Amino acid sequence: MIAPLLALALGTFSIVAADPATGQIGVAVQSKFPAVGALVPAARAGVGGVATQALANEAWRAEALRLLAAGVPAEEVVRRLVAADPQAADRQIGLVDAKGNAAAYTGARCFDHASHVTGPGFSVQGNILAGRAVPEAMARAYQAARDAGKPLAERLLAALAAGQAAGGDRRGMESAALLVVKPGGGYGGSGDVWVDLRVDDHPRPIAELTRLYRDVHQFYFGETLRAVPLDAKVAREVQGLLLRLGFLKPPAAPSGAWDAASQQALEDFQGWENLEGRTRKDGTVDEVVLAHLRKVAARKR
């Protein structure tokens, strides 16, 4: 029997999803409960993701991932967790494996409205909701964002926003979280946690979570969408800016020839500004880095 390590009543709506094409697995959640991101979501690259809520049994997270890693089918994982827990009727869970097989359970004693919706690659679940329209709206929004080619994180955020627009947690809003894992997604390529953002107490947690993802996480850790060649003109400009900021030292001058000293100075600037995740060593500079370099140097005039 799985002993409940921590049992907390969470009126919550969440979505768990996997994108086998990219290897990404994610969970997004909102609740009228503080710091919900510390309690509900868990995910492991190559294995799966899980959300445990209502009278949450924290042990379900680790056990679900252990069983998925051992090759137990998603539906069977849920069956085993429920069968081993005498308080399962008060609990809710949604999970997905790395291949996109989803399963969910909503206990009969979860506070109304409580239900779940599963589909290809995702599971939506919620309790203490405004109604069935909440999980249904989340499922539609996720599928629409997926069909539009949006990245997994953006699909998850779209689902949360749709759930809230449909009424959400009928007690209101307080916290939200977004977790996305992928192979090598951790800082510097170690570990698998690519996005781990939490809004622990906020009047509009989903909007704040979206801002953190789009304006903060993607600025520092987003993929390079455009790389600018360091040709003579751009190299000369970058060298001049790095000299102004003190990262490139005299007697170096803006020659337009991109050399090892210039590359190191640019990398030093990026490290100073926490943009090392956008470092390139192929004779180009990330467009976001270049724009930020210009902005920082302009303040030094």
Side-chain angles (χ1 to χ4, degrees):
M1 180 179 294
I2 304 168
L5 301 182
L6 180 61
L8 294 169
L10 301 179
T12 300
F13 55 93
S14 66
I15 178 168
V16 184
D19 184 353
T22 63
Q24 294 183 16
I25 301 168
V27 187
V29 57
Q30 196 283 148
S31 181
K32 183 62 175 74
F33 188 94
V36 70
L39 301 171
V40 169
R44 189 185 311 161
V47 176
V50 58
T52 176
Q53 54 201 51
L55 189 66
N57 185 342
E58 290 292 274
W60 276 13
R61 298 191 303 180
E63 182 66 3
L65 293 178
R66 185 189 72 80
L67 291 171
L68 288 175
V72 179
E75 291 281 0
E76 177 63 14
V77 170
V78 170
R79 190 197 68 77
R80 292 189 191 183
L81 293 174
V82 170
D85 191 330
Q87 288 186 278
D90 299 298
R91 311 197 196 282
Q92 189 174 46
I93 188 172
L95 60 82
V96 64
D97 66 20
K99 295 180 181 178
N101 300 303
Y105 165 81
T106 298
R109 290 198 299 264
C110 290
F111 289 134
D112 199 34
H113 172 84
S115 65
H116 57 264
V117 176
T118 60
F122 73 90
S123 175
V124 170
Q125 45 283 322
N127 60 91
I128 318 185
L129 302 178
R132 176 67 177 176
V134 176
E136 290 178 344
M138 293 175 69
R140 288 194 301 271
Y142 177 82
Q143 292 172 302
R146 180 191 61 198
D147 294 346
K150 299 291 186 181
L152 181 62
E154 294 185 21
R155 301 178 211 168
L156 298 174
L157 290 170
L160 283 191
Q164 184 56 44
D169 183 330
R170 56 191 173 93
R171 301 172 306 165
M173 297 181 282
E174 185 162 357
S175 66
L178 174 65
L179 173 66
V180 179
V181 300
K182 64 180 181 178
Y187 180 78
S190 62
D192 65 356
V193 178
W194 182 55
V195 183
D196 189 1
L197 299 174
R198 302 177 183 184
V199 177
D200 288 347
D201 181 35
H202 195 280
R204 298 177 65 241
I206 298 173
E208 176 63 5
L209 185 66
T210 301
R211 184 194 70 81
L212 287 174
Y213 172 74
R214 291 179 177 170
D215 298 346
V216 180
H217 182 275
Q218 288 297 281
F219 176 74
Y220 290 107
F221 306 112
E223 297 179 354
T224 298
L225 298 180
R226 179 171 178 262
V228 180
L230 285 159
D231 57 24
K233 180 181 178 181
V234 175
R236 189 175 297 110
E237 178 194 5
V238 171
Q239 289 165 337
L241 298 176
L242 292 170
L243 275 165
R244 183 186 304 169
L245 294 173
F247 290 96
L248 192 61
K249 308 293 184 182
S255 65
W258 193 252
D259 55 16
S262 300
Q263 178 68 28
Q264 186 60 57
L266 179 58
E267 291 182 21
D268 289 345
F269 167 78
Q270 291 186 229
W272 184 265
E273 295 292 318
N274 300 319
L275 287 167
E276 61 270 25
R278 291 182 174 273
T279 298
R280 303 184 64 82
K281 298 178 182 288
D282 59 355
T284 67
V285 58
D286 186 299
E287 183 179 44
V288 171
V289 172
L290 180 56
H292 188 63
L293 175 61
R294 288 166 173 161
K295 180 179 179 180
V296 173
R299 295 201 295 259
K300 286 286 185 179
R301 288 178 177 172

